Amino acid sequence: MRRNSYTLAALAVSAVPGLEPARTIPVATPIDEFDVAGIIGTDGRRVLVTAPTTAAAGAHLEKDVHVTDALAGTSLAPLVTTAIGFARLPEGGRAAVTAPPHGVPVLFDRLGASLRLARSLGEVIARIHAVPAYVAESAGVETFTADALRRGHRARVERAREESGLPATVAQRWDAVLADDDLWDLHPCFVHGALSEEALFRDGEAITGVTGWHEASTGDPAADLAWLVSALDPDHVDALFAAYTAALPVTPHPRTLERAQVLGEFAVVDWLLHGIDSEDEEIIADARGMLDDLDHDLAQLAREEAERRYDDLAAGSRAAEAADADDAGWDAEGDRDLDPDHAGEDGDVTIEVEEIEVEVDVEVRAPEEHKAGTAVSDETDGPAVADRDADRNRGPVERGPIER
């Protein structure tokens, strides 16, 4: 049953004593199973009235009320709006009246353009994940162990494989990540479970409101990061996660972002199974298109990784060859590595050779006729040297005729 703004205003009057509506403002909601309107009273008071249209929506609303009541005593109190009144509905269930969230809805384009807003969101997510366990228990949320979360993902992937089929590359990747024990060695904590731009409000560059707590649970902290990792650019993801890590009272799992990426991929499985369960061929076709896109992206990433590894190996090989050539004094082409500063204008290279002093041991042998005991002396005043000098001083030798 759908309700217009005037009917919703009447519900607000019955839920909040003393409220006199002056104006009504229709409010768009991402969940089609709720009728929502803003009411402005004659005294300027503003309230928000939410009425479920189905039994399932009524259950969501009740859970939201219980969670926000429990969070009112935590550091998240300024970010949540608690119920200030209820009105019974003719078909059963009840409508809830709350104060409106402070600020304006967060548009994803704005989030993707502001590092300050991304950091603020990271801090808020850390505050959500730091909610004590006893608060989660008092809120009545479901609690999942790390093993139960992993088994649930595996079961949904197997069902999608059996009922619709999965592209080969996608199936191969998901089998690998689900078999990775370290990736799923996580510590469950309180999580929002349905964070999106529709559930967030801001004032300037700060997150000021969080709504939509009907999927809160004690589960995987990566679930609240999955929608951001797959959509924001790397700089904004780094800024958000740095702020998240700094504000978190414990050190997050070292592979939290990697698991968030995987959970973003598993969201396509959930969409596909939703289409199968509702027998909606349009949703099924849309999900299959997403799987094909993911298959293409994974194949492209695999090619790029292979090329990067090949380039790294080739660069390492060239560097090793160059180092060996330098050690041997040769360049990479096998030529002597010459200093270009010594090249002339014509390109010739002048090699400067240092003067080298060499000691040589020489064995001097005496002429045959002196072998019999005549020593060769290197003394300058020895007989042999004296005779030689005398011969030099005689001048030309006069020769007589040769007798025949």
Side-chain angles (χ1 to χ4, degrees):
M1 177 180 178
R2 310 304 304 195
R3 295 175 174 86
N4 59 32
S5 298
Y6 299 106
T7 304
L8 293 172
L11 291 173
V13 169
S14 64
V16 182
L19 177 64
E20 297 180 3
R23 291 173 53 198
T24 62
I25 304 173
V27 177
T29 172
I31 303 177
D32 191 51
E33 296 176 328
F34 289 102
D35 292 325
V36 184
I39 311 297
I40 302 176
T42 55
D43 56 358
R45 183 164 42 162
R46 296 170 180 263
V47 298
L48 196 69
V49 56
T50 303
T53 61
T54 66
H60 285 171
L61 180 61
E62 292 301 321
K63 182 176 180 179
D64 193 286
V65 168
H66 281 97
V67 172
T68 53
D69 280 347
L71 295 178
T74 70
S75 65
L76 290 173
L79 301 175
V80 300
T81 55
T82 57
I84 57 178
F86 299 95
R88 288 292 174 185
L89 300 175
E91 68 275 16
R94 58 182 181 172
V97 179
T98 65
H102 175 64
V104 297
V106 172
L107 299 179
F108 199 84
D109 290 344
R110 179 62 177 265
L111 180 62
S114 172
L115 289 174
R116 287 179 58 193
L117 191 58
R119 293 189 189 100
S120 177
L121 179 55
E123 294 169 357
V124 167
I125 295 174
R127 288 162 65 182
I128 293 172
H129 293 173
V131 167
Y134 72 86
V135 175
E137 292 174 1
S138 67
V141 300
E142 290 182 275
T143 298
F144 299 94
T145 64
D147 187 55
L149 291 167
R150 187 180 182 183
R151 287 199 311 270
H153 295 312
R154 181 179 284 115
R156 288 189 292 275
V157 169
E158 286 302 318
R159 184 186 165 202
R161 194 199 315 262
E162 293 172 0
E163 297 188 21
S164 181
L166 296 174
T169 305
V170 174
Q172 211 170 34
R173 167 173 165 75
W174 288 350
D175 288 342
V177 297
L178 285 169
D180 188 341
D181 292 337
D182 179 68
L183 184 65
W184 302 99
D185 184 24
L186 61 99
H187 296 287
C189 65
F190 181 76
V191 297
H192 182 281
L195 277 182
S196 66
E197 54 186 326
E198 292 88 358
L200 298 170
F201 293 80
R202 67 172 180 85
D203 184 0
E205 303 302 307
I207 300 296
T208 55
V210 183
T211 62
W213 294 92
H214 56 278
E215 291 189 24
S217 68
T218 297
D220 188 347
D224 286 340
L225 299 167
W227 67 288
L228 297 162
V229 170
S230 60
L232 289 178
D233 65 71
D235 288 342
H236 284 74
V237 171
D238 290 344
L240 184 148
F241 193 68
Y244 168 81
T245 302
L248 204 63
V250 296
T251 302
H253 188 277
R255 299 177 69 183
T256 298
L257 285 182
E258 182 181 348
R259 199 168 62 253
Q261 177 66 46
V262 173
L263 296 186
E265 296 171 14
F266 287 167
V268 181
V269 173
D270 295 336
W271 185 235
L272 174 63
L273 295 179
H274 171 65
I276 292 174
D277 292 339
S278 60
E279 299 181 350
D280 190 322
E281 292 299 327
E282 186 175 346
I283 293 178
I284 294 173
D286 184 45
R288 284 176 176 165
M290 293 179 182
L291 288 172
D292 290 339
D293 290 342
L294 178 59
D295 184 65
H296 177 271
D297 292 344
L298 291 174
Q300 180 64 27
L301 287 173
R303 286 192 294 269
E304 291 175 357
E305 177 65 13
E307 291 173 0
R308 186 189 64 78
R309 290 184 179 180
Y310 176 81
D311 291 342
D312 289 347
L313 288 173
S317 177
R318 287 194 296 269
E321 291 175 0
D324 292 342
D326 287 343
D327 292 341
W330 297 86
D331 62 16
E333 284 73 30
D335 299 326
R336 276 293 182 182
D337 193 7
L338 303 177
D339 186 353
D341 293 338
H342 293 88
E345 295 181 357
D346 57 356
D348 294 337
V349 178
T350 302
I351 304 175
E352 294 182 0
V353 180
E354 296 181 357
E355 182 178 350
I356 303 174
E357 183 177 338
V358 181
E359 294 183 3
V360 181
D361 293 332
V362 180
E363 181 181 356
V364 181
R365 294 181 181 276
E368 291 292 333
E369 61 269 25
H370 292 181
K371 279 185 179 178
T374 305
V376 177
S377 173
D378 56 359
E379 297 291 336
T380 57
D381 57 351
V385 174
D387 293 345
R388 183 189 63 199
D389 291 344
D391 291 341
R392 286 176 180 171
N393 294 329
R394 290 192 191 108
V397 179
E398 295 184 2
R399 296 183 183 275
I402 301 174
E403 295 183 0
R404 295 183 180 275

